[in-house]
Amino acid sequence: QGQLVESGGGSVQVGGSLRLSCATPGRTFSTYWMGWFRQAPGKEREFVARIGWSGYQTAYADSVKGRFTISRDNAKSTVYLQMDSLNPEDTAVYYCAADPSGRRIYQYWGQGTQVTVSS
């Protein structure tokens, strides 16, 4: 931990939007797959989305498909998670992670950012 820094979390009402950012200061991360995960209180951490190094390959959890969009700007060393149509079930701490091999083995993690959706 410590090599990835998430930001953009906060409180929003149902139906609102937030954009999370994950800063990756090292140039190395531009060649890594990157992912977003989340952990709600009392639940295990779960996969949200992932993106290939080029930005063209993406994958999403069924629970967020059509509402969330993952993207990256390698020139800015930043990965984004645009979250729309938020609902209370999206309330969680959101983590950014880096997967150097592309095999869904995430070796580097951020400290997380809290997202709270209220009705």
Side-chain angles (χ1 to χ4, degrees):
Q1 290 188 346
Q3 301 188 52
L4 307 178
V5 181
E6 302 96 336
S7 62
S11 297
V12 65
Q13 292 188 330
V14 170
S17 298
L18 284 173
R19 187 176 81 158
L20 305 183
S21 298
C22 173
T24 63
R27 288 192 302 169
T28 303
F29 290 105
S30 66
T31 63
Y32 292 178
W33 280 75
M34 299 294 296
W36 285 96
F37 291 77
R38 67 186 182 185
Q39 187 167 19
K43 295 186 177 181
E44 294 186 353
R45 186 164 56 193
E46 64 174 359
F47 166 77
V48 174
R50 66 191 253 111
I51 187 167
W53 67 270
S54 68
Y56 291 108
Q57 294 174 284
T58 59
Y60 297 91
D62 288 343
S63 59
V64 306
K65 201 171 294 183
R67 300 188 299 120
F68 290 12
T69 303
I70 188 170
S71 62
R72 67 192 298 162
D73 185 338
N74 287 337
K76 296 182 178 180
S77 300
T78 303
V79 179
Y80 304 98
L81 185 67
Q82 177 67 41
M83 306 186 296
D84 299 319
S85 302
L86 286 163
N87 59 60
E89 289 70 40
D90 297 316
T91 295
V93 177
Y94 283 71
Y95 298 90
C96 175
D99 168 14
S101 68
R103 298 176 183 177
R104 296 177 174 82
I105 302 173
Y106 293 87
Q107 294 188 3
Y108 307 99
W109 293 82
Q111 293 186 340
T113 185
Q114 176 71 46
V115 171
T116 303
V117 185
S118 58
S119 57

